[in-house]
Each structure stands twice: as structure tokens, then as C-alpha cells.
């Protein structure tokens, strides 16, 4: 490789990497834990779902809501959770103007539908099929949901900046896009030596060599995984930016039509007739009929339009199990009064190009096609990505720690690296601390989790910055991680009596797994601490 190309790749890799380092670490760290989103939710609530049969009972939901609302003419959207043990329910105002006046569709409500907006006559809540309880989104919020949404920076959506998409999503998309540059240029930098140095690691050399080897080896080995996440992350989080040109030029600005083609929205707009339906619909029977027809699939969504009216329609969306069919989607639409289906799409035989692309992106990003074993592999590879980021920051700092560089620049470089390292390494002890406090708290909701996590993280960052020594930062976070991670299963046992031997005997493997995960993290943190204590040299700010 000639020197000019090398310099281009090197500077592009360095600049793109250092600009996104801290946010990329947050995305990788939170994303790694979010692979166990459902297990974390079960652990927090102390209710295992490993061996619980929870058939979807839509009739119960409608009947219970009928005691609070007049359901005539309303629209319902059911968004089932991944494991099928619950569903989000979105109920609109009635289309019957004698009951309530429908809210007109505004420009802001057009396009792909996000988490439900509501007024005083509509409802949006989470229903559990296991214990038949209902809670608002805020009340049902848990650490699994928090870490999942943190990994695409959703909490930053509170910032009132909107450039076609919420600020947090836009920032996560930009980070993913720049991450692509860092990955590709990094591979080009090491391409000539990729064969000879593929497994080269010299742990007994000077620290710059250790960090360089760690960054190179883990970066190259994890390159396919990281490339997959960069590409799928861009597609998932900033698809609005990617498809806007198509909506303007191919669909003449009609975003609704585009989202329908991409199967994000379904066209169901029957005209309200003001004539009552002669016979009540058994929603469970309708769902069971089609689930028996498509046994190797899971319910993903259920739609009801104009409930109780002669124009009532019901539609069911399903997704095939990855073991049966990697790509595809099922859809059936029925006009209730006629009792006939007007649209059918089999999840087994009618997969389209859109199905293949969406399934490929979703399965590769979420790792939901290989069970817990694959999710553990994804988790480990995600944490290795965190190590690559940390080692990259240290390489950047050490390369600029030279006598010929002015003192003020060296101080700036140190404080920049100190801030990045403190933010990044502080996440594990803060996460473990949050698990402990949540388990000991009587009331936990979205506001509580936000305040707990972000304020404790802020305190941790300030404390680590005050140390003014990167080696001490590393040691302190490792000690705190060792203690707090070990405390997670202990506090769980004390608070709920769900000790690891009890959860093992009860086959509550989801709760057991989270406890064992934190025990493993504690052991690894202790091991790393003793290695650092024995070998690390102090790296302080210039006097």
C-alpha cells in the first residue's frame, strides 16, 4: 500500500473512531445486555417465564376494557411481545361520532406509527397474558427495556431537536454510519499484515504494544460481527433518512403508501356504517384458527377496526419461527359481517423480497434465530467490541503523549481520554448498582429508572474524573464492578428468596441466567483487577 492511501485510511479511521468512541461504547455495552431483555424483565419482576404457558386471550382484554369504555366503533392494535407472554394494546377513540369525535389526522401523525399517542378517550397499556394484569408503559418499564432503548440512544429523544426523526435516533444512526467508516478503513490499514498478524498478541510488551495488538486482533476477528451491526443498525435506526428520497420521487411524497409497501403499516380503513354487528366476534377463535393453519409461526400483531359495527374488520400478522422459515410473514384480513377472508398471505410459502430483506436485517441484528446460545455469543462479541473501543482510545492517547507535543495539547488529550474512559468503564458498576437498587425498591417505573441510572452514572463519571489517573480509574471501576456484580444475585436472594439453587430447582432459567451472568462478570472483573494491579503503570495528567 502506498503512503498516500495509508495516510488517508489512517486519518479517516482515527478521526471517525475518536469522534464516536464514547457513544459507540454505550451502544455496544447496552446492546450487549439487551440481548437478554426478556430475562432481565423476568429477573426484575421475580416471575420466571421459562416454563409458563401463557396463551393469548384477546377476549379477556376486550371484555375487561368493555367495563371501562364504550368499545363501539373503536380501533384496536395489539403488538405482542417477543416471547408472546404479553402485548401492548393501543385503543383509539370511537369512529362513532355519537360516542366520541375522532381526532383528525395531522401532518405529524403521518408516516410510520411510533409508540402510541393518546388523549383522554383512548388508551395505551401493557397487558400480561400470564397474570392478566395491565399497566401503563411507564409503570411496566424495566431495566431490560431501558438498556434496549439506551442502545439506540432513545433517552436523548427528550432533546427538542428534530431533523425528520427524533434526535436520539438520528445521533445513533450517525454513530452507526461513522462506525462503518472506522471499520472499513481499519481493515484496509491492516490488510497487508492480516495473515501474519491475525493472532499476534504480545501481553508482556510495553502498554502501547499491548493496546495496539488488542485493538488489531480483536478488531479484525470481530470485524464481520461489527460490520453486520453497523449496517443493520443504520438500516433500523435511520430508515427514515434512507427511504425519504423514495417517498418523494417514487411515491410522490406519500409516506403512508411507502410504509404500507414495506409492511410497517396496514391499509385498513373501512367506512363506519352506524349499523351494529349482528353477531359478536370471538377473537380468540379467529386467532386460534389461523395459528392452527400456520403452526410454525408466532403472532406478532392483531388489528381490529370499527369494533362492533357492521363494517368491522380484523387482521392478524404472524412471523415464522426462524427454525421453520428464516424469512416470511403471514397476514390474513377478514370482514367480520361476511365471515370471509379478503386477503391471505402465508408465512410459509409467500415470502416476498421485502420479507427477506427485513428478516435478514432483524435476525442478524437481534440474534433471535439460535436461542440463548447464540445470544451469549452475540453478548461476548459485543463486549469485545467495547474492548476494541477502549484500546483504540488508549492508542490515540499514547501516540500523542510525546515530548515534542505542546503541554496544553497533551493536557487536552488526557482530559478527553479521561472523560471517554470514565464514561465507558463506569457503565458496568452503574448497571449492577441499578439492578440492586431496583430489586430493593417498592415502586419502579420509567422515571425512577431514568433518574437512578443517569444520576448514578453522572456521580460515577465525576468521581473517576477527579482521580486524574487512568490506571486508578481502571482499578476503581474493576473493584466496584467486582463487588456490585457479585451483590446482584445476593440481593436478589435476600429480597425474593430466589437464590440460584432455588431458581435451578424451579427451572426458572431466565432468572438463574441473569444471576449467573453477573457472577461471571464479577469473577472476570476480579481477575482483571489483579492483573492490572500487578502490571499496570500509572498514567496521570501532566503537572
Amino acid at each position: 500500500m502506498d503512503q498516500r492511501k495509508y495516510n488517508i485510511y489512517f486519518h479517516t479511521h482515527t478521526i471517525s473512531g475518536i469522534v464516536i468512541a464514547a457513544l459507540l461504547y454505550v451502544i455496544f455495552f447496552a446492546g450487549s445486555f439487551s440481548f437478554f431483555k426478556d430475562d432481565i424483565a423476568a429477573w426484575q419482576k421475580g416471575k420466571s417465564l421459562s416454563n409458563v404457558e401463557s396463551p393469548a386471550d384477546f377476549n379477556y382484554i376486550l371484555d375487561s376494557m368493555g367495563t371501562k369504555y364504550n368499545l363501539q366503533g373503536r380501533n384496536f392494535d395489539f403488538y405482542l411481545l417477543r416471547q408472546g407472554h404479553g402485548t401492548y394494546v393501543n385503543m383509539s377513540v370511537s369512529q362513532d361520532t355519537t360516542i366520541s369525535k375522532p381526532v383528525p389526522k395531522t401532518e405529524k401523525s403521518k408516516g410510520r406509527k411510533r409508540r402510541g399517542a393518546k388523549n383522554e378517550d383512548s388508551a395505551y397499556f401493557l397487558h400480561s397474558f400470564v397474570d392478566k394484569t395491565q399497566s401503563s408503559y411507564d409503570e411496566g418499564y424495566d431495566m431490560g427495556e431501558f438498556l434496549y432503548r439506551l442502545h439506540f440512544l432513545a433517552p436523548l429523544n427528550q432533546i427538542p431537536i428534530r431533523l425528520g426523526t427524533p434526535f436520539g435516533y438520528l445521533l445513533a444512526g450517525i454513530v452507526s454510519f461513522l462506525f462503518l467508516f472506522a471499520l472499513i478503513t481499519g481493515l484496509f490499514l491492516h490488510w497487508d499484515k492480516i495473515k501474519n498478524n491475525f493472532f499476534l498478541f504480545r501481553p508482556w510488551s510495553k502498554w502501547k504494544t499491548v493496546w495496539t495488538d488488542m485493538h488489531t486482533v480483536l478488531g479484525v476477528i470481530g470485524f464481520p460481527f461489527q460490520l453486520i451491526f453497523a449496517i443493520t443498525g443504520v438500516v433500523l435506526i435511520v430508515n427514515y433518512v434512507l427511504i425519504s428520497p423514495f417517498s418523494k420521487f417514487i411515491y410522490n411524497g406519500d409516506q403512508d403508501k411507502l410504509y404500507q409497501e414495506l409492511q410497517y403499516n396496514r391499509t385498513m380503513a373501512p367506512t363506519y356504517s352506524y349499523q351494529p354487528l349482528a353477531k359478536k366476534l370471538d377473537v380468540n377463535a379467529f386467532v386460534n384458527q389461523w395459528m392452527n393453519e400456520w403452526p410454525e409461526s408466532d403472532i406478532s400483531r392483531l388489528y381490529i377496526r370499527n369494533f362492533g359495527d357492521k363494517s368491522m374488520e380484523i387482521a392478524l400478522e404472524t412471523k415464522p419461527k426462524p427454525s421453520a422459515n428464516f424469512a416470511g410473514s403471514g397476514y390474513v384480513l377478514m370482514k367480520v359481517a361476511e365471515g370471509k377472508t379478503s386477503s391471505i398471505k402465508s408465512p410459509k410459502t409467500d415470502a416476498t423480497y421485502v420479507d427477506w430483506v427485513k428478516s435478514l436485517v432483524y435476525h442478524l441484528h437481534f440474534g433471535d434465530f439460535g436461542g440463548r446460545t447464540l445470544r451469549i455469543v452475540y453478548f461476548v462479541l459485543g463486549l469485545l467490541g467495547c474492548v476494541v473501543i477502549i484500546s483504540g482510545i488508549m492508542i490515540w492517547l499514547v501516540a500523542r503523549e510525546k515530548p515534542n507535543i505542546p503541554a496544553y495539547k497533551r493536557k487536552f488529550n488526557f482530559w478527553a481520554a479521561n472523560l471517554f474512559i470514565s464514561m465507558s468503564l463506569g457503565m458496568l458498576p452503574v448497571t449492577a448498582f441499578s439492578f440492586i437498587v431496583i430489586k430493593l425498591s417498592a415502586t419502579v417505573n420509567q422515571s425512577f429508572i431514568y433518574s437512578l441510572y443517569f444520576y448514578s452514572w453522572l456521580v460515577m463519571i465525576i468521581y473517576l474524573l477527579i482521580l486524574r489517573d487512568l490506571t486508578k480509574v481502571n482499578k476503581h471501576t474493576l473493584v466496584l464492578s467486582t463487588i456490585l456484580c457479585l451483590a446482584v444475585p445476593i440481593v436478589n436472594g435476600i429480597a425474593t428468596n430466589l437464590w440460584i439453587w432455588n431458581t435451578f430447582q424451579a427451572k426458572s432459567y431466565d432468572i438463574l441466567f441473569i444471576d449467573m451472568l453477573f457472577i461471571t462478570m464479577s469473577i472476570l472483573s476480579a481477575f482483571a483487577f489483579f492483573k492490572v494491579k500487578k502490571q499496570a503503570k500509572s498514567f496521570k495528567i501532566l503537572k
Side-chain angles (χ1 to χ4, degrees):
M1 182 186 302
D2 63 70
Q3 191 62 37
R4 181 176 178 275
K5 288 182 179 179
Y6 182 87
N7 289 338
I8 292 174
Y9 297 149
F10 177 80
H11 292 300
T12 303
H13 180 77
T14 302
I15 293 172
S16 60
I18 203 66
V19 166
I20 64 173
L23 290 176
L24 188 62
Y25 187 97
V26 173
I27 291 172
F28 265 89
F29 183 89
S32 297
F33 276 90
S34 66
F35 287 123
F36 311 120
K37 179 175 180 288
D38 296 324
D39 297 330
I40 292 173
W43 182 92
Q44 178 178 324
K45 297 172 183 176
K47 298 177 181 178
S48 175
L49 299 173
S50 295
N51 299 295
V52 176
E53 293 292 333
S54 52
D57 190 350
F58 298 101
N59 288 342
Y60 177 86
I61 298 175
L62 294 171
D63 290 342
S64 63
M65 294 188 70
T67 62
K68 305 174 184 177
Y69 302 92
N70 184 345
L71 303 187
Q72 184 68 27
R74 295 183 185 270
N75 297 336
F76 293 89
D77 296 323
F78 299 88
Y79 305 98
L80 274 78
L81 302 181
R82 187 163 50 188
Q83 286 188 340
H85 55 261
T87 180
Y88 286 105
V89 182
N90 188 19
M91 182 189 74
S92 74
V93 297
S94 178
Q95 304 302 305
D96 192 328
T97 55
T98 64
I99 299 174
S100 60
K101 187 175 181 180
V103 178
K105 191 172 185 179
T106 63
E107 287 296 321
K108 289 185 178 181
S109 67
K110 292 182 180 180
R112 183 180 173 185
K113 292 179 173 58
R114 298 273 181 183
R115 202 168 298 276
K118 63 178 183 178
N119 61 24
E120 64 279 0
D121 194 39
S122 62
Y124 183 81
F125 59 90
L126 174 64
H127 175 87
S128 171
F129 292 128
V130 179
D131 53 16
K132 298 187 182 301
T133 58
Q134 296 177 358
S135 59
S136 67
Y137 178 75
D138 180 74
E139 295 168 343
Y141 203 81
D142 54 54
M143 274 299 292
E145 180 74 2
F146 171 77
L147 290 171
Y148 168 68
R149 295 184 64 76
L150 179 62
H151 105 275
F152 50 87
L153 309 182
L156 295 181
N157 291 343
Q158 304 298 326
I159 298 175
I161 299 175
R162 189 179 181 94
L163 301 174
T165 191
F167 178 73
Y169 299 159
L170 179 62
L171 187 59
I174 293 173
V175 170
S176 298
F177 191 71
L178 291 177
F179 184 42
L180 270 177
F181 279 91
L183 280 175
I184 295 171
T185 53
L187 184 67
F188 286 165
L189 279 175
H190 303 293
W191 187 258
D192 291 340
K193 299 179 181 179
I194 195 170
K195 182 177 181 181
N196 296 332
N197 296 347
F198 192 82
F199 293 109
L200 179 64
F201 186 60
R202 295 160 287 184
W204 313 118
S205 301
K206 57 185 180 180
W207 278 105
K208 182 182 178 183
T209 303
V210 174
W211 291 323
T212 302
D213 288 348
M214 189 184 301
H215 189 75
T216 304
V217 173
L218 296 181
V220 172
I221 292 175
F223 177 82
F225 171 83
Q226 294 163 8
L227 182 66
I228 287 172
F229 264 75
I231 295 174
T232 57
V234 170
V235 172
L236 289 172
I237 203 64
V238 287
N239 52 55
Y240 175 88
V241 177
L242 297 175
I243 66 178
S244 288
F246 298 96
S247 67
K248 293 183 184 299
F249 296 108
I250 299 179
Y251 291 86
N252 297 320
D254 189 350
Q255 286 189 4
D256 285 345
K257 185 176 181 181
L258 173 59
Y259 282 114
Q260 290 163 14
E261 293 285 342
L262 294 176
Q263 300 176 14
Y264 288 117
N265 294 344
R266 295 291 184 180
T267 303
M268 293 178 65
T271 302
Y272 195 75
S273 68
Y274 290 91
Q275 299 180 38
L277 191 66
K279 183 179 180 182
K280 182 179 179 180
L281 173 67
D282 187 340
V283 178
N284 289 348
F286 170 80
V287 172
N288 292 335
Q289 173 191 347
W290 288 102
M291 295 311 296
N292 291 332
E293 182 75 17
W294 302 325
E296 292 297 321
S297 62
D298 296 316
I299 307 170
S300 58
R301 296 183 181 185
L302 179 71
Y303 306 98
I304 298 176
R305 296 292 179 265
N306 296 350
F307 185 87
D309 187 71
K310 189 176 181 180
S311 63
M312 178 178 174
E313 293 182 352
I314 184 170
L316 176 69
E317 278 189 16
T318 67
K319 292 182 179 179
K321 299 180 186 295
S323 58
N325 194 1
F326 193 77
S329 63
Y331 180 74
V332 57
L333 171 65
M334 185 179 78
K335 296 183 182 299
V336 177
E338 301 174 6
K340 297 179 180 179
T341 56
S342 58
S343 178
I344 300 177
K345 180 177 178 292
S346 171
K348 298 183 291 185
T349 59
D350 298 335
T352 63
Y353 175 77
V354 171
D355 288 325
W356 276 101
V357 173
K358 288 179 63 178
S359 296
L360 186 66
V361 170
Y362 276 89
H363 288 320
L364 289 179
H365 193 83
F366 293 106
D368 60 355
F369 57 93
R372 182 175 279 122
T373 301
L374 181 64
R375 285 186 280 128
I376 292 174
V377 173
Y378 268 45
F379 175 79
V380 173
L381 290 172
L383 292 187
L384 289 181
C386 294
V387 175
V388 171
I389 296 167
I390 293 293
S391 59
I393 295 173
M394 295 307 300
I395 293 170
W396 176 85
L397 176 61
V398 173
R400 285 153 182 78
E401 188 65 21
K402 297 177 181 178
N404 63 324
I405 296 179
Y408 74 92
K409 288 187 178 181
R410 294 166 67 186
K411 286 185 178 181
F412 172 81
N413 294 338
F414 175 87
W415 279 111
N418 193 15
L419 177 61
F420 288 169
I421 296 295
S422 299
M423 287 180 60
S424 302
L425 296 185
M427 287 195 72
L428 180 56
V430 167
T431 300
F433 175 74
S434 299
F435 272 74
I436 293 169
V437 174
I438 285 172
K439 180 56 70 170
L440 296 175
S441 302
T443 303
V444 177
N445 54 33
Q446 184 177 10
S447 300
F448 178 84
I449 293 177
Y450 269 42
S451 299
L452 169 65
Y453 196 94
F454 290 125
Y455 282 128
S456 58
W457 194 11
L458 178 61
V459 171
M460 176 65 70
I461 291 171
I462 294 173
Y463 168 71
L464 296 176
L465 287 174
I466 292 173
L467 295 177
R468 298 159 62 97
D469 187 330
L470 295 182
T471 303
K472 286 184 178 180
V473 168
N474 197 9
K475 289 180 179 179
H476 285 222
T477 53
L478 287 174
V479 170
L480 289 172
S481 297
T482 301
I483 297 171
L484 293 173
C485 287
L486 184 60
V488 168
I490 295 175
V491 170
N492 185 37
I494 294 173
T496 63
N497 200 37
L498 293 174
W499 299 97
I500 55 176
W501 49 87
N502 291 336
T503 52
F504 178 77
Q505 291 177 351
K507 297 183 179 181
S508 301
Y509 296 128
D510 43 8
I511 298 176
L512 173 63
F513 177 78
I514 296 301
D515 284 339
M516 295 305 299
L517 177 65
F518 276 99
I519 291 174
T520 303
M521 298 294 289
S522 176
I523 293 171
L524 292 176
S525 297
F527 175 78
F529 170 75
F530 287 112
K531 296 291 287 185
V532 169
K533 183 180 179 181
K534 183 179 180 181
Q535 300 176 12
K537 298 178 181 179
S538 182
F539 200 123
K540 301 180 181 179
I541 187 174
L542 292 170
K543 299 297 184 181

